[in-house]
Amino acid sequence: MQWEIVIGLEVHVQLATQTKIFSGASTAFGAEPNTQACAIDLGLPGTLPVFNSEALRKAVQFGLAIEAEIGKRSVFDRKNYFYPDLPKGYQVTQMDFPIVGQGQLEITLEDGSSKVIGVTRAHLEEDAGKSLHEDFEGMSGIDLNRAGTPLLEIVSEPDIRNAKEAVAYLKKIHAIITYLGISDGNMAEGSMRCDVNISVRPKGQAEFGTRCEIKNVNSFKFVEKAIHCEVQRQIDIIEDGGKIVQETRLYDPDKDETRSMRSKEVANDYRYFPEPDLLPVEIDDAYVQAIREQLPELPDAKIERFISQYQLSKYDATQLAASRLLADYFEQVVSACGQAKLAANWVLVELLGQLNRSSTELSDNPISAEQLGQLIQRIQDGTISGRQAKQVFEAMYQGEGSPDAIIEAKGLKQVSDTGALEAMIDEIMSKNPAQVADYRGGKDKLFGFFVGQVMKASKGQANPAVVNDLLKAKLQG
Amino acid sequence: MSLAPEQVKHIAMLARIGADEQELQAYSQSLSSILDLVDQLQAVDTNGIEPLANPLDATQRLRADQVSEPNQREQLQSVAPATAKGLFLVPKVIE
Amino acid sequence: MLNKTLTEQSQALAKGEVSSLELTQAYIQRINQLEPQVNAFISQTPEQALAQAKAADERRAKGDAHALTGIPLAHKDIFCTQGVRTSCGSKMLDNFIAPYNATVIERFNAVGAVSLGKTNLDEFAMGSSTESSFYGPTRNPWQLDRVPGGSSGGAAAAIAANFAAGATGTDTGGSIRQPAAFCGISGIKPTYGRVSRWGMIAYGSSLDQGGPMAKSCSDLALMLEVMASFDAKDSTSVDQPVPAYSQGLTQSIKGLRIGLPKEYFGEGLDPRIADQVQAAVKTLETQGAIIKEISLPLTHLAIPAYYIIAPAEASTNLSRYDGVKFGHRCDNPKDLQDLYLRTRQQGFGTEVKRRILIGTYALSAGYYDAYYRKAQQLRRMIKNDFAAALQEVDVIAGPATPNLPWTLGAKSQDPVAMYLEDLYTIAVNLAGLPGMSVPCGFVDGLPVGLQLIGNYFQEQQLLTLGHQYQLQSDWHLQQPELSTSGGN
């Protein structure tokens, strides 16, 4: 049987505000437990929430970036359930009237094709705290620093059909939120988390299959892997004549499997109702317009510009525009060397490859854009060959200095001086009279032999183009 | 409308209120009589009436995004039932 | 001095006829003698009171006194007080010491008022008799076998017993007005949003409103000037200037239109109460007010709507009491569920649990539309009802309660019977309007209250009307006889 996979994503983005969504406590990451959980965050009796203006502004920015309807009147609701990391016994969220309504975004796939994924809505809510499971005499410890951090939950339509699309969608969201600067997008620190809803159905069937929700997947790679193993699990069950049970599951990256979450076994009745301690949020056209006018260049526009301004392929442009940091870096390299295509190549292949191999974030990249630009210039002006450039790049990455300094130190300059090369060629020809005679007799293939001898004599530093020209002239006699 | 002890048990579970059989029985009676009282509403035609959540129909004020709450852990945890290393302690959480 | 009104005490302090320390000491002594009969307080803070009194006298000596500087007050134990237990009448918070002050407390501290202690209330303000308190019932100083009303019963009884000239209360469905009526004192529930809810432990967030309780309307005016404020910490607080209420009391009430809703004088009302209320209305008429009969046709639906909305909000407001961050926690919980179930089973009393259960039910899947949504629709209709009436008249007048204070325990087994006692007060909270009760007579030695309801933010009109009435009557100056020998 042919199966079709149906995926919908709920992405939780922590908004990069200074303070919590409803309190004046700091949101800085990594503080000592409970030092950033104030009386409001703890839900102490008599405390009340007041809404953070910056959380609203950031949510509206996102809405405008995906061309969504902006909720002119949005309403906070209480979602009621008991859990130790939820101090008030309810989470303040938005149910019927979210701040961001229907929108969409376009993803680009590896083959260069693109697809539009619908965004159902995005709403504001407060984050929960964390349970720490290490043993405190048989107890768990609760850290509520994260409780009350503003989240934007972005809910997609079930438009995604495979893991690659899911990852492309997530990367696009990541690009948008980092371009806007509304979140640091740091998945390792939980600034962007993803719940994946997955079902399968026989190809051609109209109605959806029963779905499972995989909670809190926190990297692009894990999203891809989690989808693969959950899809396989569901197909196996159905093909064995079983039925999918709608449930919440966790992805275990160590075992590469998903498992049912015991804590969510009891069907919840969240008893949503409008939060009486907060009032409806009303915004006017002028407010929205002011934000619209201050939006930065967004990924789609940047991709278009990279294609037209630098004659890049759509795929390269998309890759470069995937993060604002990367795109800015690329443009700095271009301005340093004036070679857009070479710059794109070096950034996407050499630099990203090297960062990837050493598991380094772009933000910790040891090579400045100016230096990379200089390196490209040295290739362009013939100082070094492409092969040598890779050697220089390695050294730059290890922090050995600027390209020129490394070229100098390693003696990597190409020999393009015709006098020195002619002397070298003359000597080689006089040492190999038989080969010269054979070549002149029609054995063209021997040309490579002479090139090899020159490169050997020059210890690889001869400029191949110059060597070619000189050899041809001399061998013809 | 009456609520059977079984239904009360379910509601009590949602509300995380422990109750023995005797208590469930008592709640079942008193809650049923309260429901009889509130069920008078069902006779009223409320079609097209916008629900009123805030008596003044007011709208939300916004707060500037400035840190105003310094670390108060020691003071706040002085009223906590069980803490260790700055954490609130609870029976093991199983996910 | 202890039988004087707060206004009179304020004048005496200003003239130097008495010091705050003397006044405070006298109150402490009286409370020591008579409190065992009344049980108006959950916590007394004599040492703090004496220190505040001394500071107040010093402040006055420096010429920096406010009208309430050095006035001893009592605060309902629902307002958080830093360093002093805030129990809300519940075992759940028996060990809770708030790390902050309620805005209302801050404001009284700022003018140098003295706090004698925290007054008793129905657990989490859920009740009409102050019998559901974990700390035992408060008794009505007029007849000690009677309830003082509730939930602010401790505050009302404290004033009636001359334990304090003024006290703070809160009113979610009548919790200031009904005990004021039962104890023969004055009390006003301001417009929703007029007094900050920050630090006031929530029962029904969209209904709760703090307000003053005292002997006279002039006292209420002085207290409300301090209590009312815009507070950025409360999203539902309203940013409107606070009038100098005490300066406006002498305005004439000539031509003021007063409406008597026929529904407030129908079946269920004790005819003896009706007589007292009508007599009071007559007095107002002779003072120049124009009396009209009006109709509030949805009156009978206010109780059903309220007993969905208030418990629904309460059911989630009280979810935070889970034994994790503060308050009661059961012994040796074997797992998380056990922690929740037993902590909440033990920490809450029967009435609180009942309301949590009703509220949970009303919000649960499949019932939300039929109950909660419907009740909120009714709420708008009730608000519209009042709006229409307040087009015709300036103030609505009627009884504060349908019956006299009942004997302790008489309604404890029948929650619905207790709920029906709030017939005339509850709709005001649903609409968010200001409402006031002033003493207007006695029946069988028990006080009767006249309720006055005004338009949004028209507290001044109510206070002025009440004050003008109190210039023509002395019901508010009557004192119960409490003897140190105890009993009655």
Side-chain angles (χ1 to χ4, degrees), chain C residues 364-402:
Chain C
S364 65
Y367 298 98
Y368 178 87
D369 285 345
Y371 287 110
Y372 190 75
R373 196 183 143 81
K374 186 101 183 172
Q376 294 285 51
Q377 289 175 311
L378 243 300
R379 187 176 187 180
R380 185 174 295 280
M381 291 167 72
I382 288 166
K383 176 186 159 129
N384 292 345
D385 231 14
F386 275 112
L390 288 167
Q391 293 277 319
E392 285 180 62
V393 296
D394 302 304
V395 173
I396 295 165
T401 66

Short mmCIF file of all heavy atoms in Angstrom, two decimals, chain C residues 364-402:
data_model
loop_
_atom_site.label_atom_id
_atom_site.label_comp_id
_atom_site.label_asym_id
_atom_site.label_seq_id
_atom_site.Cartn_x
_atom_site.Cartn_y
_atom_site.Cartn_z
N SER C 364 -16.69 22.77 32.29
CA SER C 364 -16.17 21.54 31.69
C SER C 364 -16.76 21.30 30.31
O SER C 364 -17.78 21.87 29.94
CB SER C 364 -16.40 20.35 32.62
OG SER C 364 -17.77 20.11 32.76
N ALA C 365 -16.04 20.47 29.57
CA ALA C 365 -16.40 20.22 28.17
C ALA C 365 -17.85 19.79 28.05
O ALA C 365 -18.32 18.92 28.78
CB ALA C 365 -15.48 19.14 27.60
N GLY C 366 -18.56 20.44 27.17
CA GLY C 366 -19.95 20.07 26.95
C GLY C 366 -20.93 20.90 27.78
O GLY C 366 -22.12 20.91 27.50
N TYR C 367 -20.43 21.57 28.81
CA TYR C 367 -21.33 22.37 29.66
C TYR C 367 -21.05 23.85 29.60
O TYR C 367 -21.82 24.66 30.09
CB TYR C 367 -21.25 21.88 31.12
CG TYR C 367 -21.69 20.45 31.25
CD1 TYR C 367 -20.78 19.41 31.30
CD2 TYR C 367 -23.07 20.15 31.28
CE1 TYR C 367 -21.20 18.10 31.38
CE2 TYR C 367 -23.48 18.83 31.36
CZ TYR C 367 -22.54 17.81 31.41
OH TYR C 367 -22.97 16.52 31.49
N TYR C 368 -19.90 24.21 29.02
CA TYR C 368 -19.47 25.61 29.01
C TYR C 368 -20.53 26.53 28.42
O TYR C 368 -20.90 27.54 29.01
CB TYR C 368 -18.17 25.73 28.21
CG TYR C 368 -17.66 27.15 28.09
CD1 TYR C 368 -16.84 27.70 29.08
CD2 TYR C 368 -18.00 27.94 27.00
CE1 TYR C 368 -16.39 29.00 28.98
CE2 TYR C 368 -17.55 29.24 26.90
CZ TYR C 368 -16.74 29.76 27.88
OH TYR C 368 -16.30 31.06 27.78
N ASP C 369 -21.04 26.17 27.26
CA ASP C 369 -22.03 27.04 26.59
C ASP C 369 -23.32 27.15 27.39
O ASP C 369 -23.89 28.22 27.52
CB ASP C 369 -22.33 26.53 25.18
CG ASP C 369 -21.19 26.85 24.22
OD1 ASP C 369 -20.34 27.68 24.59
OD2 ASP C 369 -21.15 26.25 23.13
N ALA C 370 -23.76 26.01 27.91
CA ALA C 370 -25.03 26.00 28.63
C ALA C 370 -24.95 26.74 29.96
O ALA C 370 -25.94 27.29 30.43
CB ALA C 370 -25.49 24.56 28.87
N TYR C 371 -23.78 26.75 30.55
CA TYR C 371 -23.65 27.40 31.85
C TYR C 371 -22.87 28.71 31.78
O TYR C 371 -23.42 29.79 31.90
CB TYR C 371 -23.03 26.45 32.87
CG TYR C 371 -24.00 25.37 33.31
CD1 TYR C 371 -23.82 24.05 32.94
CD2 TYR C 371 -25.11 25.71 34.08
CE1 TYR C 371 -24.73 23.07 33.34
CE2 TYR C 371 -26.02 24.74 34.48
CZ TYR C 371 -25.81 23.41 34.11
OH TYR C 371 -26.72 22.47 34.50
N TYR C 372 -21.58 28.60 31.59
CA TYR C 372 -20.75 29.80 31.73
C TYR C 372 -21.12 30.86 30.70
O TYR C 372 -21.35 32.02 31.03
CB TYR C 372 -19.27 29.44 31.63
CG TYR C 372 -18.40 30.63 32.01
CD1 TYR C 372 -18.25 31.00 33.34
CD2 TYR C 372 -17.79 31.41 31.04
CE1 TYR C 372 -17.51 32.11 33.70
CE2 TYR C 372 -17.04 32.52 31.39
CZ TYR C 372 -16.90 32.85 32.72
OH TYR C 372 -16.17 33.96 33.06
N ARG C 373 -21.16 30.45 29.44
CA ARG C 373 -21.46 31.41 28.39
C ARG C 373 -22.84 32.02 28.57
O ARG C 373 -23.06 33.22 28.46
CB ARG C 373 -21.35 30.71 27.03
CG ARG C 373 -21.28 31.65 25.87
CD ARG C 373 -21.26 30.86 24.55
NE ARG C 373 -22.03 31.59 23.55
CZ ARG C 373 -21.54 32.61 22.87
NH1 ARG C 373 -20.30 32.98 23.03
NH2 ARG C 373 -22.30 33.26 22.01
N LYS C 374 -23.78 31.16 28.90
CA LYS C 374 -25.15 31.62 29.12
C LYS C 374 -25.20 32.62 30.27
O LYS C 374 -25.88 33.66 30.19
CB LYS C 374 -26.01 30.38 29.47
CG LYS C 374 -27.48 30.66 29.60
CD LYS C 374 -28.20 30.23 28.35
CE LYS C 374 -29.67 30.55 28.42
NZ LYS C 374 -30.33 30.31 27.13
N ALA C 375 -24.49 32.32 31.35
CA ALA C 375 -24.49 33.21 32.51
C ALA C 375 -23.88 34.57 32.15
O ALA C 375 -24.36 35.62 32.61
CB ALA C 375 -23.74 32.57 33.67
N GLN C 376 -22.83 34.55 31.32
CA GLN C 376 -22.21 35.81 30.93
C GLN C 376 -23.13 36.62 30.00
O GLN C 376 -23.08 37.84 29.98
CB GLN C 376 -20.86 35.56 30.24
CG GLN C 376 -19.78 34.97 31.13
CD GLN C 376 -19.18 35.97 32.09
OE1 GLN C 376 -19.91 36.66 32.82
NE2 GLN C 376 -17.86 36.06 32.14
N GLN C 377 -23.95 35.91 29.23
CA GLN C 377 -24.96 36.61 28.42
C GLN C 377 -26.00 37.25 29.32
O GLN C 377 -26.40 38.40 29.14
CB GLN C 377 -25.62 35.64 27.44
CG GLN C 377 -24.69 35.19 26.32
CD GLN C 377 -25.33 34.12 25.44
OE1 GLN C 377 -25.87 33.14 25.94
NE2 GLN C 377 -25.26 34.31 24.14
N LEU C 378 -26.45 36.47 30.31
CA LEU C 378 -27.40 36.99 31.29
C LEU C 378 -26.83 38.22 31.97
O LEU C 378 -27.53 39.20 32.26
CB LEU C 378 -27.66 35.92 32.35
CG LEU C 378 -29.08 35.39 32.45
CD1 LEU C 378 -30.04 36.52 32.79
CD2 LEU C 378 -29.52 34.75 31.14
N ARG C 379 -25.53 38.13 32.21
CA ARG C 379 -24.85 39.23 32.90
C ARG C 379 -24.99 40.52 32.10
O ARG C 379 -25.25 41.58 32.65
CB ARG C 379 -23.37 38.85 33.07
CG ARG C 379 -22.63 39.82 33.90
CD ARG C 379 -21.21 39.32 34.11
NE ARG C 379 -20.55 40.19 35.06
CZ ARG C 379 -19.30 40.04 35.46
NH1 ARG C 379 -18.58 39.04 35.02
NH2 ARG C 379 -18.76 40.88 36.32
N ARG C 380 -24.81 40.42 30.79
CA ARG C 380 -24.97 41.61 29.97
C ARG C 380 -26.42 42.10 30.01
O ARG C 380 -26.68 43.32 30.07
CB ARG C 380 -24.53 41.37 28.53
CG ARG C 380 -24.57 42.63 27.68
CD ARG C 380 -24.00 42.44 26.28
NE ARG C 380 -22.58 42.13 26.27
CZ ARG C 380 -21.61 43.04 26.40
NH1 ARG C 380 -21.91 44.32 26.56
NH2 ARG C 380 -20.35 42.68 26.38
N MET C 381 -27.36 41.16 29.99
CA MET C 381 -28.77 41.57 30.04
C MET C 381 -29.08 42.28 31.36
O MET C 381 -29.82 43.27 31.39
CB MET C 381 -29.67 40.34 29.86
CG MET C 381 -29.58 39.75 28.44
SD MET C 381 -30.33 38.10 28.29
CE MET C 381 -32.06 38.50 28.42
N ILE C 382 -28.48 41.78 32.45
CA ILE C 382 -28.71 42.41 33.75
C ILE C 382 -28.09 43.80 33.78
O ILE C 382 -28.67 44.77 34.27
CB ILE C 382 -28.15 41.51 34.88
CG1 ILE C 382 -29.06 40.28 35.03
CG2 ILE C 382 -28.00 42.26 36.19
CD1 ILE C 382 -28.47 39.14 35.85
N LYS C 383 -26.90 43.90 33.20
CA LYS C 383 -26.25 45.21 33.11
C LYS C 383 -27.13 46.19 32.32
O LYS C 383 -27.31 47.34 32.71
CB LYS C 383 -24.87 45.06 32.43
CG LYS C 383 -24.13 46.37 32.20
CD LYS C 383 -22.84 46.15 31.40
CE LYS C 383 -22.42 47.47 30.74
NZ LYS C 383 -21.03 47.85 30.99
N ASN C 384 -27.67 45.69 31.20
CA ASN C 384 -28.54 46.54 30.38
C ASN C 384 -29.80 46.96 31.13
O ASN C 384 -30.31 48.07 30.96
CB ASN C 384 -28.93 45.81 29.09
CG ASN C 384 -27.72 45.61 28.17
OD1 ASN C 384 -26.68 46.23 28.36
ND2 ASN C 384 -27.86 44.71 27.20
N ASP C 385 -30.30 46.03 31.94
CA ASP C 385 -31.46 46.29 32.79
C ASP C 385 -31.20 47.50 33.69
O ASP C 385 -32.02 48.42 33.79
CB ASP C 385 -31.65 45.06 33.69
CG ASP C 385 -33.07 44.54 33.66
OD1 ASP C 385 -33.82 44.94 32.76
OD2 ASP C 385 -33.41 43.73 34.55
N PHE C 386 -30.06 47.47 34.33
CA PHE C 386 -29.68 48.58 35.22
C PHE C 386 -29.49 49.86 34.41
O PHE C 386 -29.90 50.94 34.83
CB PHE C 386 -28.38 48.26 35.97
CG PHE C 386 -28.57 47.47 37.22
CD1 PHE C 386 -28.12 46.16 37.32
CD2 PHE C 386 -29.20 48.04 38.34
CE1 PHE C 386 -28.28 45.43 38.49
CE2 PHE C 386 -29.36 47.32 39.51
CZ PHE C 386 -28.91 46.00 39.59
N ALA C 387 -28.84 49.72 33.25
CA ALA C 387 -28.58 50.91 32.43
C ALA C 387 -29.89 51.60 32.06
O ALA C 387 -30.00 52.83 32.12
CB ALA C 387 -27.79 50.52 31.18
N ALA C 388 -30.89 50.78 31.72
CA ALA C 388 -32.19 51.36 31.35
C ALA C 388 -32.80 52.05 32.56
O ALA C 388 -33.32 53.18 32.47
CB ALA C 388 -33.11 50.25 30.83
N ALA C 389 -32.72 51.40 33.72
CA ALA C 389 -33.31 51.99 34.93
C ALA C 389 -32.60 53.29 35.29
O ALA C 389 -33.23 54.27 35.69
CB ALA C 389 -33.21 51.00 36.09
N LEU C 390 -31.27 53.29 35.12
CA LEU C 390 -30.49 54.47 35.51
C LEU C 390 -30.59 55.60 34.49
O LEU C 390 -29.99 56.67 34.66
CB LEU C 390 -29.03 54.07 35.78
CG LEU C 390 -28.86 53.26 37.08
CD1 LEU C 390 -27.48 52.63 37.16
CD2 LEU C 390 -29.14 54.12 38.32
N GLN C 391 -31.32 55.35 33.40
CA GLN C 391 -31.72 56.44 32.51
C GLN C 391 -32.86 57.23 33.16
O GLN C 391 -32.95 58.44 33.02
CB GLN C 391 -32.22 55.89 31.17
CG GLN C 391 -31.16 55.21 30.33
CD GLN C 391 -30.35 56.20 29.52
OE1 GLN C 391 -30.91 57.14 28.97
NE2 GLN C 391 -29.05 56.00 29.49
N GLU C 392 -33.72 56.48 33.87
CA GLU C 392 -34.91 57.10 34.46
C GLU C 392 -34.64 57.76 35.80
O GLU C 392 -35.29 58.73 36.17
CB GLU C 392 -35.98 56.02 34.71
CG GLU C 392 -36.70 55.52 33.50
CD GLU C 392 -37.71 54.46 33.93
OE1 GLU C 392 -38.63 54.81 34.70
OE2 GLU C 392 -37.54 53.29 33.53
N VAL C 393 -33.72 57.15 36.55
CA VAL C 393 -33.45 57.66 37.90
C VAL C 393 -31.95 57.77 38.12
O VAL C 393 -31.16 57.21 37.37
CB VAL C 393 -34.05 56.72 38.99
CG1 VAL C 393 -35.58 56.67 38.89
CG2 VAL C 393 -33.45 55.32 38.90
N ASP C 394 -31.57 58.51 39.18
CA ASP C 394 -30.16 58.69 39.49
C ASP C 394 -29.64 57.57 40.39
O ASP C 394 -28.49 57.15 40.27
CB ASP C 394 -29.94 60.04 40.19
CG ASP C 394 -30.43 61.19 39.32
OD1 ASP C 394 -29.97 61.29 38.17
OD2 ASP C 394 -31.30 61.96 39.78
N VAL C 395 -30.50 57.18 41.32
CA VAL C 395 -30.10 56.18 42.31
C VAL C 395 -31.24 55.18 42.47
O VAL C 395 -32.41 55.54 42.36
CB VAL C 395 -29.79 56.86 43.67
CG1 VAL C 395 -29.53 55.82 44.76
CG2 VAL C 395 -28.60 57.80 43.56
N ILE C 396 -30.87 53.93 42.70
CA ILE C 396 -31.87 52.90 42.96
C ILE C 396 -31.83 52.58 44.45
O ILE C 396 -30.73 52.43 45.03
CB ILE C 396 -31.56 51.64 42.13
CG1 ILE C 396 -31.70 51.97 40.63
CG2 ILE C 396 -32.47 50.47 42.53
CD1 ILE C 396 -31.10 50.94 39.70
N ALA C 397 -32.98 52.50 45.08
CA ALA C 397 -33.02 52.23 46.52
C ALA C 397 -33.87 51.00 46.79
O ALA C 397 -34.83 50.72 46.07
CB ALA C 397 -33.57 53.43 47.29
N GLY C 398 -33.50 50.28 47.84
CA GLY C 398 -34.27 49.10 48.23
C GLY C 398 -33.66 48.49 49.46
O GLY C 398 -32.69 49.04 50.02
N PRO C 399 -34.16 47.36 49.87
CA PRO C 399 -33.56 46.69 51.03
C PRO C 399 -32.20 46.10 50.65
O PRO C 399 -31.98 45.75 49.50
CB PRO C 399 -34.56 45.58 51.35
CG PRO C 399 -35.30 45.34 50.06
CD PRO C 399 -35.30 46.62 49.31
N ALA C 400 -31.32 45.99 51.64
CA ALA C 400 -30.03 45.34 51.39
C ALA C 400 -30.18 43.83 51.48
O ALA C 400 -29.49 43.08 50.79
CB ALA C 400 -28.98 45.83 52.39
N THR C 401 -31.10 43.38 52.33
CA THR C 401 -31.29 41.94 52.54
C THR C 401 -32.78 41.63 52.64
O THR C 401 -33.54 42.47 53.10
CB THR C 401 -30.62 41.47 53.85
OG1 THR C 401 -31.31 42.07 54.95
CG2 THR C 401 -29.15 41.85 53.91
N PRO C 402 -33.18 40.45 52.24
CA PRO C 402 -34.60 40.11 52.37
C PRO C 402 -34.99 39.74 53.80
O PRO C 402 -36.17 39.85 54.15
CB PRO C 402 -34.75 38.90 51.44
CG PRO C 402 -33.39 38.32 51.29
CD PRO C 402 -32.42 39.43 51.50
#
